[in-house]
Each structure stands twice: as structure tokens, then as C-alpha cells.
Amino acid sequence: MTEALIGFAAVLALVLLRMPIAFAMGLVGMVGYMYLNSFRGAVSMVGRLIIDTAQDYGLSVVPLFILMGLFVNKGGLSRELYQVSYAFLGHLRGGLAMATICACAGFSAICGSSLATAATMSKVAMPQMRKYGYDDSLSTASIAAGGTLGILIPPSVILVIYGLLTETSIGKLFLAGVIPGLIGVLFYLGAVRWTVSRKPDAGPAGERTGWGDRLKALKGVWAVVLLFFLVIGGLYGALNVYPINLTFSPTEAAGMGATGAFLIALFRGSLTFRETFEVLKETAYTAASLFAVLIGAWVFSNFVNLAGLPEALRDLVQAYSVSPTVVMLMIILVYLALGCVFESLSMLLLTVPIFFPLVTGLGYDPVWFGIVVVVVTEISLITPPVGLNVFVLKGVVPDVTTGTIFRGVTPFWVSDLFRLALLVAVPSLTLFLPDLLF
């Protein structure tokens, strides 16, 4: 156990010294494994992990969902989603910020990436909110917070990685993310209402849209509905029409989604040969980065397991008769603290191999724990000093200071804390849909 704790501290130190998290975990894991086993054993373990990762068919779901999200971005579907949300909510005080959050939720359902959702919606929503005199702090905060829904509402890349890391059903994880995602939308809308109630000038009401224009706007999102139904419906057998079986595995669903997003972007005239090449190149770069982090995490996980940290933590809990609820609250506090320093994926990959055996050993459902971890990860995306969504917004809107964005986003991460407390107190909110369909 002592070796594992020293290794964990070494990873933290290397990350704070600006070493990429993939290399920090891989280096510490290999050195630690070498210390506990042998040089030959460590080299063999790392080589086997690299080969197994490259040959793992299940991991192909990651680049395919990334590709789908990038094609969706090129297809311009974000604008239609925002127009529909604006048509129904724009006339309310703070309505444009509410429309932005709803559009982010819709875009998340066909994208799966928080950073991509925030970056895309900022280009669509920010000009409109400035046009109607919205305060910059509320405008940027609603985009940054709405973007966090990208890693929870299915299909979610980070849920896929959690499922692969813990051998948990990806289909169950996707279903489990639906209700917490919708609760997140409602709580964010409440955060907007709270903000404009204290400062009415921050979000003046826009123009009211007639029902004719609302119905016209709804017709513009057919591609979004079609793509979502193709991926999620195929994954859960909703497309089965006798005698044809159209039930997809997660990898097949990701492939169908990527193909559908490509055809939609092509049909809309949004793709050129050069843009298609750029999308493929960005997919390869992003997937390679994720795989590097995954390999580093697995190397570190093997070292931690060999050092006996998960078993030592379980024995410690049993020796002191600590209740499972207290243990879970302590784990959540650790995640909240790490979220102020680490970006979301690194935090998940670093901690899940340590906490997952302990949590499941205490009788908690792995699907529920996955959603709780992702919700905590969402909070880290908008909390200082390493709120990645905030820095994405800063890059798109350079004339707004990070301090302004962080001030505006405070009500949103506070609402996230309330949502987290609700999901921990009432696990059935997370597990209702998986239990119903599985």
C-alpha cells in the first residue's frame, strides 16, 4: 500500500510539473511495477498492454463516436437546435441563456463531447445573446455549463471509456445517463432564473415567436432526431422490424452514427474533400491521445493492483467499521478536490482503478457509480482553476476575462452540487431506466 501511495503522489507531482498525464501514469506505473516485480516483468506488461489496446475491437467505438461528433459539427446541426430552443424560450427573461442550455443538451445527444459542445454552441449562441444585451458573465456561463452535458447525455465518450475501463455495460451506462442529464438541464435552467431574478439586466427578454414559426423551426431538427434515433434506437433494439434484426452493439451503433453524420453533412453541402480530410485527421489525433492516456492508466492500474492498494483500502474500511455512505462521501470529496487540479478524463482514469474495487466491494452498483463519477467530472469542467470549458470559451471569446466567466458560472456548479446530492441520496433516479430495460 505504501508503494501505491508514493506512486500516486509521484503522478500528482509530475502532472503539476506539466508532464502529460499519459506519460506521468505510464512512467510511474512502469517504475513501480519494476520495483515490485522485475525489469523484465515491467517491460513485458507494458508491451502486452500496448498490443492488446491496439487489437481491442471494443475500443474502436471511441474513434467512431469522435468521428460522429466532428461530422455533426461540420453539418451545422447546432444552429437548428438553437433556433428551436430560442423559438420556445427566447421571449422569457434569461430565455436566450435557457435556449442555449437546451440546445447544448440536444447537441450532446449527437456529439458526446463536452469541449466540442461548448466550442460549437459558443459560436452560435454568443452573437445572439450579445445582440439582445445579455451580460457576458451569464452568456459565457450558460454555454460553459451547458457544454458539460456532453459527457453525460448519451452517446458519451467518457461513459464509453468508463465502461471499457471497468467492464461495465455501455448500454446500461447510456440509459443511466438520461435522467441525470435531464435533471441537470432543469437545474441549469433554475440557475439562469436565479441569476436574472437577482440581476434582471443580465438577461433581458427577447422577441416572442409565433406558433407558426415554432413549428417551422421544429422541422429543421429532423436530422438531429433521425441520427439520435438511429444510434440509440439501434443500440436498444427499437429498430427491430420483423424479419430484419437491426439491434446494434455499441461499436456498430457508433459506426452507424458516424456514417449517418457523414451523410447528413454531405447532404447539406457542408463537406469538401479538404474538410473531410481535416475531420479524419482530427479524429485520429484525438483518438491517439485518448489511447495514450488509456494505456498509461492501465499501466498505473496494474502497478496499483500489484501493490495491493484496493485491497488495503477495503481492509481499512472493514477494520474501522466505516459505513459505506461515509466512504462514498469521502470518495466524492476527493473527486471534488482533484477536479480543481485535473482535467476530467485524466481524473477519471487516475482514480477509477483505485476506487472502483472498493465501491463495488461495498455493494454499490457500478453503473450508478459511473454516473456519479461523470457528474463530479462535469463539475470539474467549470470550476477554477482548471475548468476546461471555461478556457474553451475564453479561446472563442477572447475579450471576456476568465474571471468574468468563472463568476458567472458559480450558480451552475452550485446547482450541480445539488444534483450530485440528489443522485447520491436517491440511486433509483440513475438506475430506473437500466433496470426497466435490462
Side-chain angles (χ1 to χ4, degrees):
M1 179 176 177
T2 304
E3 294 89 349
L5 293 176
I6 293 173
F8 193 79
V11 171
L12 289 174
L14 290 174
V15 169
L16 292 175
L17 291 173
R18 303 293 184 181
M19 178 180 282
I21 185 69
F23 298 125
M25 289 190 295
L27 177 62
V28 172
M30 184 172 180
V31 172
Y33 199 95
M34 189 188 311
Y35 174 78
L36 295 173
N37 191 310
S38 65
F39 175 79
R40 185 184 182 89
V43 173
S44 175
M45 180 268 294
V46 173
R48 186 181 69 253
L49 276 176
I50 293 174
I51 293 172
D52 289 347
T53 301
Q55 295 179 339
D56 190 344
Y57 173 74
L59 284 174
S60 60
V61 69
V62 175
L64 287 172
F65 273 132
I66 294 171
L67 184 62
M68 184 182 79
L70 291 174
F71 276 136
V72 162
N73 192 11
K74 288 293 182 183
L77 301 180
S78 56
R79 190 170 300 276
E80 283 81 357
L81 286 166
Y82 182 76
Q83 288 172 349
V84 169
S85 302
Y86 170 76
F88 284 88
L89 298 171
H91 64 283
L92 301 173
R93 184 180 294 169
L96 290 180
M98 295 181 185
T100 299
I101 290 166
C102 292
C104 284
F107 192 73
S108 300
I110 51 173
C111 177
S113 167
S114 175
L115 300 182
T117 301
T120 302
M121 294 308 304
S122 63
K123 298 172 185 175
V124 176
M126 197 67 192
Q128 287 295 318
M129 286 192 275
R130 282 188 162 174
K131 175 183 175 182
Y132 285 96
Y134 270 57
D135 189 81
D136 280 344
S137 63
L138 176 60
S139 302
T140 53
S142 61
I143 298 170
T148 65
L149 299 168
I151 62 173
L152 182 59
I153 295 177
S156 161
V157 174
I158 203 166
L159 282 178
V160 169
I161 292 175
Y162 173 88
L164 294 171
L165 196 64
T166 61
E167 299 182 353
T168 303
S169 167
I170 294 174
K172 289 184 178 182
L173 287 168
F174 279 2
L175 277 177
V178 173
I179 293 177
L182 295 176
I183 293 173
V185 172
L186 293 175
F187 278 29
Y188 283 166
L189 295 181
V192 173
R193 290 293 295 173
W194 185 84
T195 300
V196 296
S197 68
R198 295 180 66 252
K199 189 180 179 183
D201 293 340
E207 300 171 357
R208 180 179 290 274
T209 304
W211 277 102
D213 290 332
R214 289 179 179 179
L215 294 176
K216 184 178 179 181
L218 280 173
K219 293 179 182 178
V221 297
W222 66 267
V224 176
V225 176
L226 180 64
L227 188 59
F228 180 79
F229 188 67
L230 176 67
V231 175
I232 303 302
L235 190 60
Y236 298 109
L239 302 181
N240 282 348
V241 180
Y242 183 81
I244 301 174
N245 182 3
L246 290 179
T247 301
F248 305 146
S249 69
T251 302
E252 292 165 346
M256 293 297 292
T259 304
F262 169 73
L263 293 176
I264 289 171
L266 197 64
F267 176 77
R268 288 168 167 248
S270 306
L271 282 180
T272 63
F273 179 81
R274 181 179 179 83
E275 287 175 333
T276 303
F277 177 76
E278 290 297 323
V279 166
L280 294 175
K281 185 172 74 172
E282 187 174 349
T283 300
Y285 174 80
T286 306
S289 301
L290 287 175
F291 284 168
V293 178
L294 270 174
I295 292 170
W298 275 322
V299 171
F300 185 72
S301 174
N302 281 352
F303 157 61
V304 165
N305 289 331
L306 185 63
L309 180 59
E311 293 82 1
L313 288 176
R314 188 164 57 244
D315 293 342
L316 191 66
V317 169
Q318 292 174 349
Y320 288 93
S321 301
V322 182
S323 73
T325 303
V326 173
V327 174
M328 194 66 220
L329 291 176
M330 292 173 65
I331 290 174
I332 289 172
L333 289 175
V334 170
Y335 273 111
L336 291 174
L338 290 177
C340 296
V341 181
F342 284 91
E343 57 90 15
S344 54
L345 181 61
S346 301
M347 182 174 67
L348 181 141
L349 291 174
L350 182 63
T351 56
V352 165
I354 298 172
F355 291 139
F356 183 79
L358 174 62
V359 169
T360 52
L362 292 172
Y364 285 108
D365 190 288
V367 173
W368 172 82
F369 180 63
I371 299 302
V372 169
V373 168
V374 171
V375 171
V376 178
T377 302
E378 281 186 324
I379 299 173
S380 74
L381 289 170
I382 52 176
T383 51
V386 190
L388 282 188
N389 277 18
V390 172
F391 288 100
V392 167
L393 262 294
K394 174 63 179 175
V396 177
V397 194
D399 57 322
V400 181
T401 66
T402 53
T404 299
I405 304 174
F406 276 126
R407 280 196 302 273
V409 90
T410 301
F412 294 91
W413 64 257
V414 170
S415 73
D416 267 336
L417 292 177
F418 282 110
R419 175 173 52 143
L420 177 62
L422 180 63
L423 296 178
V424 171
V426 190
S428 58
L429 289 172
T430 300
L431 300 175
F432 173 73
L433 288 179
D435 290 344
L436 182 66
L437 293 185
F438 284 89

